[in-house]
Amino acid sequence: MSLLGFQRALAAIVADPGLRRRAMERPAAALPGYDLTPRERRRLADMAGQRGMALNCILHRANRMTPLHRLLPLTCAALGADLARVVDLFWRTHPRTNMQFADEIGRFAGFLKERLAAGEPANPLAEEVLDFECARFHLRFTRPRRGAEGGEAAVGAAGGAPALHPRVRVVAFRHDPERVLAGLAAEGRPPPAAELPEGEHYLVLDGRHEEPRISRIGAPLGRLLKRLEAGGPPGGDAEAAAALARTGLLAPAPSAGTEARR
Amino acid sequence: MAPPAADSPAAAAPELGVGLLYNRAVAQFLRFELDGLDYVEFIPDLLRTDHGPGRAPRFTGIEEQIELMDWVAERRPVIAHSIGLSIGSAGLFDAEYVEELARWQRRYRFPWHSEHLSFARVPGEAGADHHAGIALPVPYDRETLDLVAGRVRRVQEAVAAPLLLENNVYFTEIPEQEMSEPEFLNALATETGCGLLLDLHNLYTNARNHGLDMAGFLDALDLSRVVELHVAGGNEVEGMYVDSHAGPCPGEVWDALAAVAPRAPNLRAVTFEFDESYYPALGAEGVRAHLDRARAIWARRG
């Protein structure tokens, strides 16, 4: 069906300004591999040259940017002048999208973490801000129906070891999270690096409420909770175990005979 | 006013009046101002996350949004206005998406539902489809008519509510088309019995960008097929006018509403659309003003 070829080619032109230029300049050669009738090739060449195609390309990029701006605004602010370049590279690396916000955020988060790990860009704040926003997004968009929270199965390792409640996330920061997040939210940029000495900080996001409740916890407890979040044993002594239990952040123990699941 | 045609979806559709298309910015507005609305239109795609064809589960509800729509549906009729079926996509028909629409219909009993006459999803060579990132026009050719008509019939069989198709905005015109847009819409409605959602702002956008003759379009369109009208506003981007729903409704759109409403014998509803990004500028007062103006025209239609 050549209409399929036409639509594939048209969508490709909209997503790729470079392809649009080639379709305008060398229409016969620009779209090899697409099943097109002569009329469709003429149509695409004509459409590529219309002023409206530039707008199509702009709107495509704006629509792809929407989930990032809407759901990762602080991460976008933390990237600052690097944002345009990072997003451009993301789109060239992942030219296809299903436009589902959750999938797009997940894909971008994975991509950005790889780039940050490679130091491209070198940005000491972006990863922890990204982790925070991804955790918050996950809790907001996976909130169970009112009244159903109690039905959520407990998570527990074999032998009844403690486990983090599935509606709780722990985010580690190397910089003061309150200063970083407040600065990004208020000013659209992070505080100057000189004002942010490195340290060990933890935020807990408790998604068992209408909106995730965010609180700060000390480093010793934060480390324990992060180990639980990763599925491992918390370690520590009896005093640490008691402190964990007092947080109210652990999953309820599975009842006898039921299978724990996440 | 002529009675509805026997095969028209409007034959059974209730006359609703004036409403708005829900967006997240107006959640509080709905809680306090529902008395000013005859119905609420919602986008089912925004009430859940779609994990993609073949995934299990395919759809995960966004409970906060569903809870609000449940609350509205207890008090007002709701209408579904989908954005993700991509009914004009060649080589792709999402039966799971349509099944989900049917579930929403069983939940909310909407008197009709609507979709856009366009395509956005494209099947990939390896099977997984991707999204063009923007709704794109379909050529008004016989091949497209046959394709879309078949799709319309499948939706009509699956979802127990009439389907309306909405006229599209296009920033690039497709040359050498076999039919005009009104001819295509008329033929589609005649062949399938589907209704039309006439978006007057889309029409205005195309008129402004391409010199389309609005009056000529409306004269050529079979207005007896129009069940719902949309009004909205937009703004300029890079020298063209965009149907962004982020601007005041232009005077030309109000004029078109006043001209069309009395001529559409099966008109059942007028919906005001605006993007959530526009709400801070528009405010509750602006929403009320648009609804009031629409209602005044609705009341005068005869």
Side-chain angles (χ1 to χ4, degrees):
Chain A
M1 180 196 287
S2 65
L3 180 59
L4 175 57
F6 174 80
Q7 292 182 344
R8 281 185 170 142
L10 180 56
I13 290 171
V14 166
D16 185 350
L19 179 59
R20 181 206 170 199
R21 272 192 301 278
R22 294 193 296 278
M24 287 167 61
E25 293 164 2
R26 301 188 304 275
L31 299 168
Y34 290 99
D35 176 23
L36 299 167
T37 64
R39 181 172 71 172
E40 285 163 342
R41 287 195 180 275
R42 290 194 300 272
R43 281 176 167 172
L44 288 167
D46 185 284
M47 294 168 77
Q50 293 178 30
R51 65 177 182 140
M53 186 56 77
L55 183 57
N56 280 337
C57 296
I58 289 170
L59 292 176
H60 169 93
R61 293 166 80 85
N63 287 339
R64 280 204 78 174
M65 196 65 212
T66 294
L68 306 185
H69 264 147
R70 197 169 284 179
L71 300 172
L72 302 176
L74 302 182
T75 306
C76 291
L79 287 170
D82 290 321
L83 176 64
R85 186 170 50 80
V86 167
V87 170
D88 194 63
L89 183 58
F90 171 60
W91 291 337
R92 281 190 277 123
T93 309
H94 298 276
R96 293 186 168 178
T97 172
N98 62 8
M99 287 303 290
Q100 290 298 322
F101 280 21
D103 289 353
E104 194 76 348
I105 294 303
R107 210 172 291 123
F108 179 74
F111 168 84
L112 181 57
K113 278 178 173 282
E114 284 179 7
R115 302 303 303 173
L116 293 170
E120 299 163 357
N123 188 312
L125 300 178
E127 183 167 9
E128 53 204 39
V129 175
L130 176 67
D131 284 344
F132 170 78
E133 291 200 294
C134 286
R136 186 172 62 179
F137 167 77
H138 172 81
L139 292 173
R140 286 190 65 200
F141 281 84
T142 59
R143 182 168 70 82
R145 187 152 187 115
R146 241 192 278 269
E149 292 90 344
E152 199 167 353
V155 177
L164 193 64
H165 194 286
R167 297 290 301 155
V168 172
R169 291 289 182 274
V170 184
V171 182
F173 280 76
R174 285 181 292 128
H175 309 87
D176 183 336
E178 288 171 42
R179 298 206 57 219
V180 169
L181 299 176
L184 288 169
E187 306 291 330
R189 60 176 185 271
E195 297 179 19
L196 295 172
E198 286 207 5
E200 187 181 2
H201 311 271
Y202 295 89
L203 290 184
V204 169
L205 286 76
D206 187 344
R208 292 173 290 182
H209 311 277
E210 281 284 331
E211 279 290 320
R213 290 187 186 169
I214 302 168
S215 56
R216 197 160 178 171
I217 54 172
L221 197 51
R223 283 184 227 118
L224 294 179
L225 290 172
K226 281 303 282 184
R227 286 199 281 269
L228 285 183
E229 189 179 61
D237 53 19
E239 189 178 331
L244 270 179
R246 282 194 299 272
T247 63
L249 299 173
L250 300 185
S255 53
T258 60
E259 183 178 342
R261 71 176 195 277
R262 184 135 195 152
Chain B
M1 188 177 294
D7 68 342
S8 164
E15 192 170 279
L16 296 184
V18 175
L20 61 70
L21 179 63
Y22 169 73
N23 65 68
R24 290 183 312 165
V26 294
Q28 282 299 99
F29 180 91
L30 285 188
R31 296 273 185 193
F32 294 105
E33 308 246 3
L34 202 58
D35 284 350
L37 298 167
D38 297 317
Y39 65 91
V40 173
E41 188 154 298
F42 74 103
I43 299 173
D45 312 67
L46 302 185
L47 267 59
R48 52 38 173 183
T49 298
D50 182 354
H51 301 290
R55 302 270 281 272
R58 166 78 189 264
F59 302 104
T60 306
I62 300 173
E63 296 304 331
E64 173 185 54
Q65 299 298 307
I66 295 171
E67 283 165 13
L68 175 61
M69 205 48 55
D70 285 351
W71 180 87
V72 171
E74 288 171 3
R75 293 159 177 76
R76 286 291 182 277
V78 295
I79 304 174
H81 181 56
S82 304
I83 59 174
L85 179 57
S86 195
I87 202 167
S89 285
L92 180 162
F93 181 76
D94 193 343
E96 289 179 336
Y97 185 103
V98 176
E99 284 167 21
E100 205 227 4
L101 268 177
R103 285 193 290 273
W104 287 119
Q105 201 283 328
R106 287 192 291 273
R107 186 186 190 103
Y108 293 132
R109 301 285 181 212
F110 34 84
W112 66 81
H113 66 118
S114 55
E115 247 292 0
H116 300 75
L117 179 57
S118 59
F119 84 96
R121 292 168 61 184
V122 182
E125 291 79 2
D129 63 85
H130 60 280
H131 199 286
I134 177 175
L136 292 169
V138 293
Y140 299 130
D141 300 336
R142 185 72 226 181
E143 179 187 6
T144 314
L145 182 60
D146 290 342
L147 172 80
V148 176
R151 305 285 174 72
V152 168
R153 291 188 195 99
R154 290 181 69 177
V155 175
Q156 289 169 325
E157 286 165 11
V159 183
L163 171 65
L164 313 183
L165 286 186
E166 177 180 344
N167 55 307
N168 194 36
V169 169
Y170 49 89
F171 301 109
T172 47
E173 294 184 276
I174 302 177
E176 302 183 57
Q177 297 186 95
E178 295 166 12
M179 290 177 247
S180 68
E181 188 176 5
E183 287 172 341
F184 186 94
L185 293 169
N186 292 345
L188 185 61
T190 300
E191 289 191 21
T192 66
C194 75
L196 299 178
L197 189 168
L198 178 57
D199 190 308
L200 295 171
H201 189 254
N202 286 358
L203 187 60
Y204 169 74
T205 301
N206 294 337
R208 200 161 146 169
N209 287 330
H210 307 293
L212 173 81
D213 173 14
M214 284 180 71
F217 182 104
L218 295 171
D219 285 342
L221 190 69
D222 180 358
L223 293 176
S224 73
R225 299 289 182 176
V226 174
V227 176
E228 184 181 349
L229 294 169
H230 275 187
V231 294
N235 53 296
E236 287 225 351
V237 176
E238 296 288 317
M240 292 188 80
Y241 187 77
V242 177
D243 178 44
S244 63
H245 298 176
C249 188
E252 291 90 338
V253 174
W254 290 122
D255 291 344
L257 178 63
V260 169
R263 294 166 54 194
N266 300 314
L267 180 64
R268 295 293 182 259
V270 176
T271 306
F272 171 46
E273 303 181 281
F274 60 95
D275 189 77
E276 63 181 89
S277 65
Y278 183 46
Y279 188 66
L282 181 65
E285 195 173 318
V287 175
R288 279 186 232 111
H290 279 74
L291 294 172
D292 288 346
R293 190 163 179 180
R295 185 163 284 106
I297 295 172
W298 171 264
R300 289 197 304 266
R301 78 194 187 288

